[in-house]
Amino acid sequence: MSLQESPVLLRRNATCLIDVAAYSRVGLDAAAFDVAPGRRGPFGLRGVEGVGGKLVLTSTALWFHPHRLNFTRAEFGIPLDEITEVRDVSRGLRRQIEVVMRNGARPRFVVWGIPALIAAIDRARGTSATSLR
């Protein structure tokens, strides 16, 4: 699966939230995306790194491409048929979506323009069922 195989439907600046310890231990699996809100530290989420980059929607996958300046270079694509739900999990001024996958992973992205993004993902998936908070 590669980004060049299908046309780009939408691009957004985004930050992917990744559990640094799980990522360094096993790479990108469900544990790397376990960023439960209860894991608070003195300056934000303890053990969680925000990886800045671009969220790119194609007709086959939702891609995340990190900026070159990140310490964690987590580039990945989520096949659209692996997505079961996309939810708006925003709180206060922090705009976030959670992508629920069949394998149990729940990647979170800080991104603006959530209603349009969720609608575009649903159109690409061929569904209309979303969960807005």
Side-chain angles (χ1 to χ4, degrees):
M1 176 172 67
S2 82
L3 183 57
Q4 289 75 28
E5 292 176 6
S6 37
V8 172
L9 304 175
L10 184 72
R11 281 183 210 273
R12 288 273 197 280
N13 289 327
T15 299
C16 181
L17 301 176
I18 294 179
D19 178 321
V20 178
Y23 175 74
S24 60
R25 190 175 63 246
V26 293
L28 284 173
D29 71 348
F33 299 114
D34 182 19
V35 292
R39 296 180 48 192
R40 286 263 185 239
F43 301 106
L45 292 172
R46 185 178 61 239
V48 174
E49 183 173 336
V51 180
K54 292 261 186 215
L55 202 54
V56 179
L57 176 64
T58 69
S59 59
T60 58
L62 181 64
W63 290 89
F64 180 74
H65 299 285
H67 299 307
R68 284 182 270 163
L69 299 176
N70 292 304
F71 290 113
T72 304
R73 297 290 311 262
E75 182 169 11
F76 59 93
I78 304 169
L80 294 180
D81 59 356
E82 291 297 313
I83 297 173
T84 61
E85 182 181 15
V86 180
R87 300 186 311 152
D88 180 351
V89 292
S90 301
R91 296 178 80 179
L93 295 176
R94 188 176 15 172
R95 302 285 135 221
Q96 291 185 20
I97 62 167
E98 180 178 69
V99 179
V100 181
M101 298 173 57
R102 292 186 197 288
N103 69 358
R106 295 172 176 264
R108 283 189 178 216
F109 301 93
V110 177
V111 62
W112 290 96
I114 290 176
L117 177 59
I118 291 175
I121 293 170
D122 284 343
R123 277 193 306 275
R125 289 176 54 222
T127 64
S128 62
T130 59
S131 184
L132 296 175
R133 268 201 260 164

